[in-house]
């Protein structure tokens, strides 16, 4: 089931963009937006703002999604030539054990490797299942002939080089897309498809809307600056967290009532719910207990906005993620309905 949005998401996941190394992904979205005729600007932090003019320019909206992902950096070049890692983003080593990766050097060279437990071989390390998966025991096995620190340095690899994880993106015939980094490239893909739709239909939005493609969300300070005083509503388009005790699933749009930062704006949340009811969009309301967003980061930065959050339900967040076309479609439909609705007061 290769729909346009699924293919767009797949293309985005295949662009390496761990927090701190997002230029290629940002430029990819920038060029798409400019080719559609939209105004764009880059912030000093390297985020992208795409402006869609509306009938009302005095009361504006901001809709943000983030293109940065989890990743790692080279922490140390070990005596055996392998690499110790320092993680970027909120996850644990068990989520990447055995994963293929790429190391991008400061000079632009790229090497492949595998993230391994140092004591991987069961034929050598009898009780290796008991060994903690942490920075002391996990390392990158580089796909080059190297067995010493100097041989690895001779490749051009140094401390501080970025490490990206193979997304392994697959779209199934049953309508699923499974991949790393659907958080939050699914949302970025949905925004790209919305921009195409607005242009194709020559639709005029009721309010000027800034689409803020953030590049530091996974480390806590994405879309929290360069926010116009004219913006009164701020939506984080981000994943719905799935698991035991959660209401959200892979087939509906998830509307967040509260996360670890506190409740989202009640009236705006109710407006989103009403849009779902009016437009027959399948939805779930949920609370994400260990989660925060660029909307909550903007509030903490002191921006005076009404904030909300919704998105596709993503299974196994910060690991091998998955969602279904039904959830993506429901999210697309809510985003479209929201953009075309008047600001809720």
């Amino acid at each position: 089931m290769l729909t346009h949005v699924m293919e767009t998401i797949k293309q985005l996941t295949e662009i390496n963009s761990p927090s701190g190394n997002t230029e290629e992904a940002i430029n990819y979205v920038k060029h798409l937006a400019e080719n559609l005729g939209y105004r764009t600007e880059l912030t000093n932090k390297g985020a992208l703002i795409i402006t869609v003019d509306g009938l009302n320019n005095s009361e504006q909206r901001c809709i943000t999604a983030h293109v940065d992902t989890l990743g790692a950096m080279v922490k140390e070049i070990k005596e055996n030539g392998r690499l110790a890692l320092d993680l970027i983003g909120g996850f644990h080593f068990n989520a990447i054990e055995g994963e293929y990766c790429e190391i991008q050097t400061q000079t632009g060279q790229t090497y492949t490797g595998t993230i391994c437990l140092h004591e991987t071989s069961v034929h050598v390390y009898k009780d290796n299942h008991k060994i903690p998966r942490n920075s002391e025991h996990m390392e990158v096995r580089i796909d080059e002939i190297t067995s010493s620190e100097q041989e690895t340095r001779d490749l051009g690899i140094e401390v501080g080089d970025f490490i990206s994880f193979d997304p392994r993106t697959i779209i199934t015939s049953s309508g699923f897309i499974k991949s790393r980094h659907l958080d939050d490239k699914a949302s970025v893909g949905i925004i790209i498809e919305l921009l195409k739709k607005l242009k194709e239909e020559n639709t005029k939005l009721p309010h000027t809307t800034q689409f803020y493609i953030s590049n530091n969300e996974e480390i806590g300070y994405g879309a929290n600056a360069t926010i116009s005083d004219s913006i009164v509503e701020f939506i984080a388009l981000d994943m719905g967290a799935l698991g035991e005790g959660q209401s959200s699933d892979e087939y509906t749009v998830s509307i967040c009532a509260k996360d670890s930062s506190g409740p989202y704006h009640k009236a705006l949340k109710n407006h989103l719910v009403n849009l779902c009811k009016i437009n027959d969009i399948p939805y779930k309301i949920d609370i994400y207990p260990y989660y925060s967003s660029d909307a909550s980061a903007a509030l903490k930065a002191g921006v005076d906005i009404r904030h909300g959050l919704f998105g596709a339900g993503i299974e196994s967040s910060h690991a091998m993620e998955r969602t279904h076309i039904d959830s993506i479609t429901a999210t697309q439909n809510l985003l479209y309905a929201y953009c075309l609705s008047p600001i809720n007061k």
Side-chain angles (χ1 to χ4, degrees), residues 2-115:
L2 287 172
T3 67
H4 288 302
V5 68
M6 296 281 257
E7 190 58 35
T8 298
I9 294 168
K10 183 175 187 292
Q11 290 169 5
L12 284 165
T13 62
E14 292 171 347
I15 300 172
N16 292 334
S17 57
S19 298
N21 191 31
T22 59
E23 294 87 354
E24 184 180 354
I26 286 288
N27 285 332
Y28 176 83
V29 180
K30 181 176 184 288
H31 292 150
L32 285 175
E34 290 176 346
N35 287 339
L36 290 169
Y38 294 109
R39 299 196 316 274
T40 69
E41 63 177 301
L42 294 174
T43 71
N44 289 331
K45 290 195 295 184
L48 174 68
I49 297 176
I50 305 163
T51 301
V52 179
D53 293 324
L55 298 173
N56 185 333
N57 196 48
S58 61
E59 292 185 313
Q60 300 182 12
R61 286 175 162 140
C62 181
I63 298 169
T64 183
H66 65 93
V67 78
D68 64 306
T69 70
L70 306 176
M73 273 185 168
V74 176
K75 171 65 171 62
E76 175 191 355
I77 301 175
K78 304 172 75 172
E79 290 184 1
N80 62 2
R82 298 189 179 190
L83 308 175
L85 301 87
D86 193 58
L87 302 182
I88 299 172
F91 67 110
H92 302 288
F93 277 102
N94 64 288
I96 56 171
E97 183 175 1
E99 191 58 270
Y100 295 160
C101 64
E102 290 187 349
I103 307 103
Q104 184 178 350
T105 71
Q106 296 175 25
T107 57
Q109 297 167 289
T110 299
Y111 295 99
T112 63
T114 305
I115 300 169

Side-chain angles (χ1 to χ4, degrees), residues 211-231:
F211 292 90
Y212 194 133
I213 309 302
S214 125
N215 63 332
N216 289 295
E217 194 274 349
E218 293 291 1
I219 50 178
Y221 56 91
N224 65 349
T226 326
I227 298 169
S228 167
D229 291 339
S230 299
I231 291 171

Side-chain angles (χ1 to χ4, degrees), residues 100-291:
Y100 295 160
C101 64
E102 290 187 349
I103 307 103
Q104 184 178 350
T105 71
Q106 296 175 25
T107 57
Q109 297 167 289
T110 299
Y111 295 99
T112 63
T114 305
I115 300 169
C116 302
L117 179 70
H118 177 77
E119 303 87 349
T120 289
S121 176
V122 296
H123 297 97
V124 178
Y125 305 99
K126 177 182 177 182
D127 294 324
N128 67 350
H129 62 287
K130 299 178 181 178
I131 296 171
R133 272 57 178 169
N134 58 27
S135 58
E136 180 182 351
H137 295 277
M138 300 295 291
E139 62 189 15
V140 175
R141 181 185 67 201
I142 309 167
D143 298 329
E144 298 292 331
I145 300 174
T146 174
S147 58
S148 71
E149 177 184 351
Q150 188 58 52
E151 287 178 335
T152 295
R153 289 190 186 278
D154 288 344
L155 295 171
I157 296 174
E158 285 293 344
V159 171
D161 287 345
F162 283 94
I163 298 171
S164 301
F165 312 141
D166 185 347
R168 291 196 279 157
T169 310
I170 292 175
I171 301 170
T172 74
S173 59
S174 54
F176 289 100
I177 181 168
K178 54 183 183 177
S179 175
R180 290 195 182 275
H181 315 319
L182 295 179
D183 171 22
D184 189 34
K185 290 186 174 180
S187 297
V188 178
I190 287 169
I191 285 176
I192 290 171
E193 293 303 311
L194 173 72
L195 294 174
K196 292 178 183 177
K197 181 180 176 70
L198 295 176
K199 188 62 63 171
E200 289 168 0
E201 297 178 349
N202 196 27
T203 300
K204 193 73 171 179
L205 298 182
H207 297 273
T208 294
T209 302
Q210 292 185 2
F211 292 90
Y212 194 133
I213 309 302
S214 125
N215 63 332
N216 289 295
E217 194 274 349
E218 293 291 1
I219 50 178
Y221 56 91
N224 65 349
T226 326
I227 298 169
S228 167
D229 291 339
S230 299
I231 291 171
V232 296
E233 286 187 353
F234 189 105
I235 292 289
L237 194 67
D238 210 332
M239 52 153 275
L242 310 189
E244 188 172 345
Q246 298 299 107
S247 300
S248 301
D249 56 39
E250 295 175 85
Y251 314 105
T252 60
V253 59
S254 178
I255 299 172
C256 183
K258 176 184 179 294
D259 66 14
S260 61
S261 69
Y264 281 73
H265 192 274
K266 183 177 71 173
L268 183 51
K269 184 263 293 181
N270 291 343
H271 179 56
L272 296 172
V273 171
N274 288 335
L275 286 173
C276 288
K277 291 178 178 178
I278 293 168
N279 293 280
D280 295 321
I281 300 169
Y283 73 96
K284 297 289 178 64
I285 303 172
D286 218 339
I287 290 174
Y288 313 149
Y290 310 111
Y291 185 119

